[in-house]
Amino acid sequence: MAVDLHLHSTCSDGTDTPAQIVELAAAEHMTCIALTDHDNLDGIDEARLASEAAGIEFIPGIELSVDYEHTKMHMLVYFLEPGTGPLQDLLAELRRGRDQRNVAMIEKLNQLGYEITADDVARHARGRSVGRPHVADALVEKGHFATRNDAFDGLLSDGGVAYVERDRLTAVDAIGLARESNAVPVIAHPITINLGVEAGPTFRKLADLGLGGIEAHHPKHNLPLRVKFEEIASTLNIAATGGSDYHGAGVREFRVGKGTGDLLVPDRAVDQLRDQLNR
Ligand code: AMP
Ligand code: FE
Ligand code: FE
Ligand code: ZN
């Protein structure tokens, strides 16, 4: 039995609705899923209802992009309920930061000779967290690139020629706010963090501050890395979680419950995550 605790819907930059994702999870016999859209909880109610109907346990979640010292990381926050709360109340501000950054990115693209407008980008976004994936889709539509990925590689990736920074919380603040909101913060896909030899001490420091888990199982982690992050989480007495980071069929080739084929997130990840609620 397996779970998938990292899923994106049309409420952010995925291409399937929350209900469609639950259908896919049911087809893969998932026992528990979490919806983790970027910067909003808009899909939670739909996903929860559909999960109940399908007999799948459901955990509400979100994914944030945060600053940590000289680097950036993604933070998954589990058991975060829609409505108001210390972290929930900041989400509108984070989305405003996205909108301002999109304006700046479109201006930069125009200066580089790519003719796209805010309307072009908006047409590709179905939710309230609009960002680079939707800009990339607009560039593809205009014929500048063949795929979303190519647009990232050519222009939009971190440090790319059309890249623009946006306002982010710090990892330390996000951990504090998550805990104040009765939710559990987890470092997402740590392979993507530029930490090198500082990784061990960083995880320990953040665990002391309330970090509740590390996403050990992710399609971008090879098997030895999944084992390594499981061990680090176990040493720190925090959860080792995982998920497919599904964004839709054909987007980055990650599938619900399976990742690129070899993903298997054990049920115990949910028990460990739940234990973190009482810390
Ligand atoms: P943003 O939140 O607007 O900064 O955009 C980041 C999102 O873009 C990530 O959550 C991914 O879903 C997506 N993304 C990042 N890198 C790539 C890439 N190389 N190809 C396609 N999508 C990407
Ligand atoms: Fe995304
Ligand atoms: Fe991420
Ligand atoms: Zn994600």
Side-chain angles (χ1 to χ4, degrees), residues 133-276:
H134 311 105
V135 174
D137 291 345
L139 287 165
V140 170
E141 187 194 45
K142 294 273 165 179
H144 295 298
F145 294 94
T147 66
R148 200 188 248 195
N149 255 318
D150 292 340
F152 267 88
D153 287 347
L155 292 173
L156 298 172
S157 58
D158 291 20
V161 286
Y163 180 73
V164 176
E165 292 289 342
R166 70 181 168 97
D167 288 341
R168 285 180 291 266
L169 293 171
T170 65
V172 173
D173 287 348
I175 288 170
L177 286 159
R179 287 293 184 177
E180 283 170 40
S181 307
N182 301 314
V184 180
V186 170
I187 290 180
H189 41 69
I191 180 89
T192 61
I193 312 172
N194 192 5
L195 281 171
V197 290
E198 290 167 53
T202 296
F203 293 147
R204 181 170 293 280
K205 187 178 150 194
L206 294 179
D208 288 343
L209 292 170
L211 182 73
I214 298 173
E215 189 179 48
H217 303 269
H218 186 279
K220 282 190 178 171
H221 295 167
N222 61 24
L223 286 170
L225 211 50
R226 292 175 203 178
V227 173
K228 183 189 131 182
F229 287 125
E230 279 255 9
E231 283 169 0
I232 293 175
S234 161
T235 305
L236 296 174
N237 263 313
I238 59 178
T241 71
S244 64
D245 212 349
Y246 179 72
H247 279 73
V251 187
R252 306 161 104 196
E253 284 152 31
F254 300 166
R255 285 173 292 145
V256 174
K258 286 197 176 124
T260 54
D262 64 359
L263 191 77
L264 206 163
V265 188
D267 282 355
R268 65 171 180 273
V270 175
D271 303 324
Q272 292 174 3
L273 206 50
R274 212 171 272 291
D275 285 345
Q276 285 296 316

Side-chain angles (χ1 to χ4, degrees), residues 38-97:
H38 301 282
D39 297 344
N40 81 69
L41 296 161
D42 296 345
I44 297 302
D45 291 344
E46 180 183 327
R48 180 162 17 216
L49 274 175
S51 297
E52 269 169 27
I56 299 174
E57 186 181 353
F58 179 76
I59 297 173
I62 200 165
E63 186 175 23
L64 307 172
S65 185
V66 299
D67 289 315
Y68 180 75
E69 294 182 352
H70 54 276
T71 183
K72 294 186 269 199
M73 58 176 80
H74 286 184
M75 189 79 69
L76 295 157
V77 181
Y78 292 107
F79 304 105
L80 189 70
E81 290 291 343
T84 59
L87 180 55
Q88 291 92 328
D89 294 349
L90 281 172
L91 298 177
E93 217 170 294
L94 293 177
R95 292 192 297 264
R96 254 195 309 281

